[in-house]
Amino acid sequence: MEKLSLSEAVECLCSNCEPVVETERISLWNASGRVLGENIISEMDQPPFPRSPLDGYALKSEDTTGALENQPVKLKVIDEIMAGYVGRHHVKNGEAVRIMTGAPIPPGVDCIIRQEDTDYGEKEVKIYKELKQYDNYCFKGEDFKNQQLLLKKGVILSAPEIGIIASCGKPDVLVYKKPAVALITTGDETMMPGPPLKPGKIYDSNMFTLGCRLKELGVLPQCIMHVDDHTDRMVCAIQEISNYTDLIITTGGVSVGKKDIMHEVFKQAGVKTLFWKVSVKPGTPTLCGKYNNTLIICLSGNPFAALTNMELLVKPVLSKMLLNRDLEPDRKTVPIDKGFEKGSRVTRYVRGYLNNGKVTIPTNKHSSGILSSMAGCNCLIEIPAGNYGVHKGDQVCVIPM
Ligand code: AMP
Ligand code: MG
């Protein structure tokens, strides 16, 4: 089978998955990061009434003509309105109403004077400044109007959008459902963290790295499990889990060793192979297939390879399934402040730290089996295929994580 380029592999995966178009109604509290499944049309004006933008006095602007610091106009204070309450009076010439920020502007007035331009009078107030009509006047519907389209279907909800939905009185929102995803790690050598290690064993880190990364990308896996290097058990797991998932991600068993069972698993389970091998390092032996409507992406077991290929291959698939453009590959070109002068026949990805428009390689531990040097890294640096790698000062492509 032909080795695919990264873009061919991504294209193949994306053409073998569908966006989840079903929707569900959820509380605003849970809506952060979700994709809006309806247009949000306001059914009210915001603010619902003209309101005062400051603490002061509501009055008729014509009553302030000629007012100066040393020649104040005196008005009778007939009422006091706090935010949350409604005034009792229609204001006439020669009158003013004490008013606080957010309170409804009473009928009859056309402006608000800030209290600093008055003597703060309680029964009678001295006005030290001339005002024009609608000075400090916050109109009804100034923020948004009844029947206004506030948010379009497909928007990714974050704090401001959720606040907008709340401000028009809706406690919940229709969002697209998430795909059902399963994560399966393989390997006779792995143990769950907790008990002391047995001879020949290592702790399963992929389950946590990839499980948590999926969560960060917005999908809490429906099923997370480990299966030993046992073909029959893995066949059963794939067949069973695919009944209720859109995507299965596995790690380990995709290379050419005696216990690299995933090829045989595909054969026995009847999984249609989409491709095996991608021209990237690490993670060349990635194997992908489709079983009924479930996409299966089998990553290398090497911890850095698994994580890298999650970013390169799984993330674009999630972007399509979740209808979330924020997950589309984000690439930046920045200068690198250190060389990586090791050539490779295929594109190589190394861990980096992107800061202030520059990228650095903060480690010399690059092997795909090494996870520890990933701590503190926030991007992958693309080292183009070729004999030379990259030199200090070169512009490189980085993929923020
Ligand atoms: P494999 O892809 O199964 O050949 O595994 C490649 C390397 O990754 C081996 O050294 C495995 O022991 C290691 N490995 C496989 N699965 C995991 C895992 N879940 N967590 C940590 N390391 C793993
Ligand atoms: Mg293995």
Side-chain angles (χ1 to χ4, degrees):
M1 196 169 250
E2 273 286 300
K3 219 188 253 182
L4 297 192
S5 70
L6 177 61
S7 57
E8 286 167 340
V10 169
E11 212 179 289
C12 171
L13 289 171
C14 287
S15 62
N16 276 285
C17 69
E18 292 302 326
V20 178
V21 291
E22 291 86 34
T23 55
E24 58 186 338
R25 190 161 286 284
I26 59 166
S27 152
L28 292 188
W29 288 117
N30 300 324
S32 196
R34 299 297 298 267
V35 181
L36 185 59
E38 60 180 340
N39 287 334
I40 299 291
I41 295 166
S42 154
E43 284 157 25
M44 54 172 271
D45 289 322
Q46 169 60 16
F49 44 80
R51 67 180 174 187
S52 175
L54 44 78
D55 299 317
Y57 294 81
L59 41 82
K60 288 182 184 289
S61 57
E62 63 197 46
D63 283 350
T64 67
T65 309
L68 287 171
E69 177 95 55
N70 57 3
Q71 188 189 300
V73 166
K74 282 189 216 157
L75 300 174
K76 188 178 169 203
V77 181
I78 58 157
D79 199 3
E80 187 173 76
I81 314 175
M82 305 292 154
Y85 298 92
V86 179
R88 292 154 294 173
H89 300 284
H90 188 109
V91 182
K92 297 193 281 295
N93 282 102
E95 295 176 343
V97 167
R98 189 82 170 98
I99 194 165
M100 297 297 133
T101 307
I105 295 178
V109 308
D110 64 3
C111 67
I112 311 288
I113 189 162
R114 54 180 205 138
Q115 59 189 23
E116 293 83 347
D117 294 327
T118 74
D119 68 347
Y120 294 76
E122 295 277 337
K123 295 226 158 65
E124 191 181 74
V125 62
K126 287 185 180 146
I127 306 295
Y128 296 131
K129 208 180 146 188
E130 203 174 281
L131 271 82
K132 294 188 303 297
Q133 194 172 34
Y134 300 126
D135 275 350
N136 304 320
Y137 192 104
C138 170
F139 288 91
K140 168 180 168 165
E142 174 186 79
D143 190 346
F144 53 79
K145 299 232 167 4
N146 189 10
Q147 294 309 308
Q148 187 174 330
L149 174 63
L150 295 176
L151 299 169
K152 274 194 184 157
K153 210 179 193 173
V155 158
I156 296 147
L157 298 172
S158 62
E161 290 81 18
I162 295 168
I164 290 166
I165 300 170
S167 73
C168 58
K170 301 176 198 284
D172 44 39
V173 62
L174 202 69
V175 295
Y176 288 107
K177 282 189 178 171
K178 295 182 181 192
V181 177
L183 173 63
I184 310 175
T185 61
T186 67
D188 285 349
E189 72 276 34
T190 68
M191 288 178 56
M192 278 298 111
L197 271 183
K198 295 194 180 121
K201 308 286 178 187
I202 58 166
Y203 291 119
D204 187 336
S205 62
N206 286 346
M207 187 179 280
F208 296 87
T209 315
L210 300 194
C212 290
R213 187 62 183 142
L214 284 170
K215 212 169 134 187
E216 287 172 0
L217 297 175
V219 279
L220 189 63
Q222 211 94 359
C223 155
I224 300 186
M225 67 188 291
H226 179 80
V227 176
D228 290 339
D229 289 328
H230 194 291
T231 308
D232 295 352
R233 280 186 216 132
M234 194 63 180
V235 168
C236 287
I238 297 270
Q239 288 178 332
E240 162 71 22
I241 292 168
S242 65
N243 284 325
Y244 59 89
T245 53
D246 305 293
L247 171 67
I248 300 176
I249 299 160
T250 72
T251 72
V254 289
S255 195
V256 291
K258 281 196 173 172
K259 282 287 191 174
D260 287 332
I261 58 166
M262 292 312 296
H263 307 282
E264 187 57 27
V265 168
F266 269 29
K267 226 183 269 166
Q268 288 190 22
V271 176
K272 179 186 157 209
T273 300
L274 297 174
F275 61 84
W276 179 40
K277 292 189 176 169
V278 186
S279 290
V280 294
K281 254 186 190 171
T284 313
T286 299
L287 169 71
C288 293
K290 196 153 182 191
Y291 183 71
N292 297 331
N293 285 322
T294 305
L295 191 60
I296 305 175
I297 304 181
C298 305
L299 306 173
S300 155
N302 276 308
F304 178 65
L307 181 57
T308 301
N309 285 275
M310 179 91 157
E311 298 302 307
L312 300 177
L313 297 171
V314 179
K315 206 173 153 192
V317 166
L318 292 178
S319 170
K320 178 165 180 189
M321 285 181 161
L322 287 158
L323 286 155
N324 187 337
R325 264 166 276 120
D326 279 2
L327 298 183
E328 275 172 14
D330 174 23
R331 287 179 141 79
K332 290 185 165 62
T333 304
V334 295
I336 189 163
D337 73 350
K338 195 174 170 184
F340 185 90
E341 275 134 21
K342 192 168 157 194
S344 160
R345 280 196 291 133
V346 300
T347 312
R348 185 198 297 275
Y349 291 87
V350 299
R351 45 206 113 188
Y353 178 65
L354 179 65
N355 185 33
N356 242 330
K358 274 192 228 131
V359 71
T360 188
I361 301 175
T363 177
N364 46 29
K365 286 174 143 189
H366 291 292
S367 144
S368 64
I370 289 177
L371 185 59
S372 63
S373 63
M374 194 63 203
C377 289
N378 61 5
C379 69
L380 296 172
I381 306 170
E382 194 174 88
I383 313 288
N387 294 330
Y388 306 107
V390 296
H391 304 297
K392 182 178 171 176
D394 282 356
Q395 293 284 326
V396 294
C397 176
V398 299
I399 301 172
M401 287 172 76

